[in-house]
Amino acid sequence: MASIPGFAGQSMVGARSTDTIRSQRSFFLVGSKRIALKGVEMPLRKFGSLKSSDRMGPPQACNTSVDLPLLSMSEVTERLAAFHVSGARNQEYTAMYSSIVGGVTTNPVAMVIPMDDHMVHRGHGIFDTAAIMDGHLYELDQHLDRFLRSASMAKIHLPFDRSTMRSILIQTVSMSKCKQGSLRYWLSAGPGDFQLTPASCMNPAFYAVVIQIQSLPSPAGCKVITSTIPMKPLEFSIMKSTNYLPNALSKMEAEEKGAYVGIWLDEEGFIAEGPNMNVAFVTKKKELMMPSFDKILSGCTAKRVLELTDGLVADGRLTGVRVGNVTVEEGKKAEEMMLIGSGVIVKPVLQWDDKCIGDAGKEGPIARALYNLIVDDMKSGPSTVRVPVSY
């Protein structure tokens, strides 16, 4: 097992399939300070079961009294370190910036936010992302512009001006040493209390996390369903807020039915979007169709796709591009259907509900071409979409 950034010596042994968490070393580092682990060996029940069957099972009556320990700061930190290496986390976090502490940490144990942050208990926060490819941030400025629009809609004051926030994000990636992955960042109404509004909170909070990703999303085809989870109202659909419960439930519904995601329809029955991606279609006349952005999130990747289709129109692979209302009938009769977003890039859809799309069982040529165009753009696009990071 590879060493965990921020931990001295060898990595700890994970405990996903064991009853205890044991350390290989007797300490780890928080900044320059050594925190003794004292030969950590703790039952997993102290952190909650890591088995999905236990997590998802129905609640059971419990007549057993529990003696809760009162933990010191060092003991809390020790247990957070044990939790981190337990196997409960499925992504590699290489750096985090927090305006609360005013700096960056590369130790995942220290990547925390206050419980009374209004983003946590009220969902009063917004977020955005940018891919990291070959040491460059892809579409950072496009995502940051959308981030600031969302902040205005959510009535969250900016803790810094745009240029300062941009600099913080680039420096965080630089300190992470990550050259391929994802940068996610959040703006919260701030910590301070558990009231409904942030009127008594001192300042908004700005956070960013760098996630190491080893490979690009697969362009393999998938199945989708029509989501039965209500779509968010317009004002919240076009804002990228942290309130993603409808999105999560829509995705879970699809997975329970053996599909990849659910597709939302707007109040008029037109095709809207997926839970965290846009959708597009290729008609039998080779026209690319995409729902307009007036009722859904303005996808940065989807907009870039529209900009890159000129070449496909020029060489005859597409006859044109149309952005507007798309009916379910039009969508299901299309030659190709695809999901578009930073998390999937361009992912072909082979089946929608019980209807096969185009040549059943095969990914279409336009979806593949658009996937390649975006990947090439990420690797060698113009300076308007690629921001270099100095490591």
Side-chain angles (χ1 to χ4, degrees):
M1 182 181 292
S3 296
I4 299 173
F7 285 75
Q10 298 177 0
S11 62
M12 297 179 179
V13 176
R16 189 177 290 276
S17 59
T18 62
D19 294 329
T20 59
I21 299 172
R22 298 180 178 87
S23 69
Q24 296 280 22
R25 296 287 178 177
S26 60
F27 65 90
F28 67 94
L29 297 177
V30 176
S32 60
K33 183 179 180 181
R34 288 175 172 231
I35 302 295
L37 285 172
K38 303 174 184 177
V40 174
E41 184 169 325
M42 306 179 207
L44 284 180
R45 61 182 171 79
K46 288 186 180 292
F47 305 102
S49 172
L50 298 179
K51 297 180 181 179
S52 60
S53 58
D54 292 339
R55 289 201 306 268
M56 301 301 290
Q60 299 178 3
C62 180
N63 297 319
T64 304
S65 61
V66 177
D67 294 325
L68 294 177
L70 180 61
L71 303 175
S72 66
M73 183 64 187
S74 62
E75 289 172 323
V76 169
T77 307
E78 179 181 311
R79 294 187 179 209
L80 286 174
F83 171 80
H84 173 67
V85 297
S86 69
R89 284 174 166 160
N90 298 309
Q91 292 184 315
E92 183 180 354
Y93 310 126
T94 56
M96 176 183 176
Y97 167 82
S98 167
S99 64
I100 300 297
V101 299
V104 173
T105 179
T106 57
N107 190 328
V109 176
M111 296 179 188
V112 296
I113 65 174
M115 187 64 199
D116 64 350
D117 191 306
H118 280 236
M119 183 169 70
V120 175
H121 65 85
R122 297 298 180 194
H124 196 171
I126 55 100
F127 77 103
D128 222 301
T129 183
I132 306 166
M133 173 62 72
D134 297 337
H136 289 71
L137 280 161
Y138 184 64
E139 290 202 299
L140 172 63
D141 290 300
Q142 290 80 354
H143 284 275
L144 189 53
D145 288 342
R146 184 175 64 181
F147 182 76
L148 298 180
R149 290 195 299 270
S150 294
S152 176
M153 295 180 67
K155 297 185 178 181
I156 303 176
H157 299 295
L158 301 182
F160 316 105
D161 61 29
R162 186 188 188 282
S163 63
T164 301
M165 297 174 79
R166 186 179 188 272
S167 176
I168 287 171
L169 295 175
I170 295 172
Q171 289 184 65
T172 301
V173 175
S174 175
M175 294 181 189
S176 77
K177 306 301 182 185
C178 174
K179 295 188 177 180
Q180 181 164 313
S182 177
L183 169 68
R184 286 181 173 265
Y185 45 99
W186 298 261
L187 182 63
S188 163
D193 57 34
F194 289 98
Q195 300 302 316
L196 184 59
T197 76
S200 300
C201 297
M202 293 294 293
N203 294 297
F206 184 43
Y207 307 107
V209 172
V210 179
I211 306 166
Q212 182 85 33
I213 299 174
Q214 300 300 329
S215 59
L216 292 171
S218 168
C222 66
K223 173 186 176 181
V224 300
I225 63 168
T226 303
S227 181
T228 67
I229 304 300
M231 184 176 172
K232 289 184 285 190
L234 187 149
E235 183 175 1
F236 298 102
S237 293
I238 62 177
M239 179 200 315
K240 200 169 177 67
S241 77
T242 55
N243 186 353
Y244 259 45
L245 182 57
N247 310 61
L249 293 177
S250 178
K251 172 75 168 168
M252 291 171 70
E253 176 191 41
E255 291 175 347
E256 289 165 0
K257 296 181 179 180
Y260 183 65
V261 294
I263 302 299
W264 270 321
L265 308 180
D266 66 23
E267 70 279 1
E268 298 180 83
F270 292 112
I271 298 169
E273 60 182 342
N276 59 343
M277 68 280 290
N278 296 101
V279 293
F281 305 87
V282 178
T283 69
K284 296 184 185 300
K285 294 181 179 180
K286 303 302 179 184
E287 181 183 47
L288 182 72
M289 296 189 304
M290 192 180 294
S292 60
F293 301 113
D294 56 349
K295 298 179 183 178
I296 59 176
L297 189 68
S298 179
C300 294
T301 306
K303 286 188 169 182
R304 188 60 180 160
V305 162
L306 293 174
E307 293 174 359
L308 294 173
T309 54
D310 289 348
L312 300 184
V313 174
D315 65 18
R317 281 181 283 178
L318 286 176
T319 59
V321 176
R322 176 167 66 90
V323 177
N325 288 332
V326 181
T327 67
V328 174
E329 182 181 10
E330 286 178 308
K332 291 188 175 182
K333 285 184 177 180
E335 282 289 300
E336 293 186 48
M337 176 179 179
M338 62 202 79
L339 307 172
I340 303 175
S342 59
V344 295
I345 302 182
V346 178
K347 189 173 185 65
V349 174
L350 307 183
Q351 183 178 336
W352 184 359
D353 294 330
D354 296 327
K355 179 71 169 63
C356 290
I357 305 296
D359 193 354
K362 295 182 181 180
E363 291 86 2
I366 300 301
R368 168 59 74 170
L370 292 175
Y371 178 91
N372 291 337
L373 283 171
I374 290 292
V375 172
D376 289 345
D377 201 46
M378 293 172 71
K379 293 181 176 181
S380 58
S383 59
T384 53
V385 296
R386 297 179 77 239
V387 176
V389 178
S390 298
Y391 293 92

